[in-house]
Amino acid sequence: MPAKKSDNQTPGLEITIDPQLRYEQAVKELEKLISDMESGKFSLEETLLAYQRGAALLKHCQGMLAQVEQQVRVFEA
């Protein structure tokens, strides 16, 4: 049985984020993607890919923030 694909990605396309990508770099890239998407300079397909990349970057940033929050809780305890 084939592996189930995520509903928010184009079939056959997996968006991966380098785990070493720093938070600040990810936010900067996300802001650029949003700006480019809002400007209308992307085709429909490019917009979809940008959205998928942005969603992956957002998830990456949220994960990093969760780790930092956990570390702060440990330090405060």
Side-chain angles (χ1 to χ4, degrees), residues 48-60:
L48 177 59
L49 290 173
Y51 177 84
Q52 292 171 335
R53 175 77 179 170
L57 286 165
L58 180 60
K59 185 176 180 179
H60 175 76

Side-chain angles (χ1 to χ4, degrees), residues 2 8 13 19 23 28 47 56 59-62 66 68 72:
N8 66 346
L13 179 65
Y23 178 83
K28 186 174 183 177
T47 300
K59 185 176 180 179
H60 175 76
C61 289
Q62 289 171 333
V68 170
V72 168

Side-chain angles (χ1 to χ4, degrees), residues 2-59:
K4 183 179 176 185
K5 301 228 182 285
S6 174
D7 291 336
N8 66 346
Q9 292 185 350
T10 302
L13 179 65
E14 184 174 330
I15 305 295
T16 57
I17 303 295
D18 179 0
Q20 301 301 314
L21 181 65
R22 295 176 50 95
Y23 178 83
E24 295 81 3
Q25 293 169 314
V27 168
K28 186 174 183 177
E29 182 180 346
L30 183 55
E31 288 172 343
K32 172 112 173 66
L33 281 173
I34 292 168
S35 175
D36 289 346
M37 288 171 56
E38 289 177 341
S39 75
K41 66 163 94 173
F42 287 154
S43 69
L44 180 61
E45 293 81 12
E46 290 170 328
T47 300
L48 177 59
L49 290 173
Y51 177 84
Q52 292 171 335
R53 175 77 179 170
L57 286 165
L58 180 60
K59 185 176 180 179

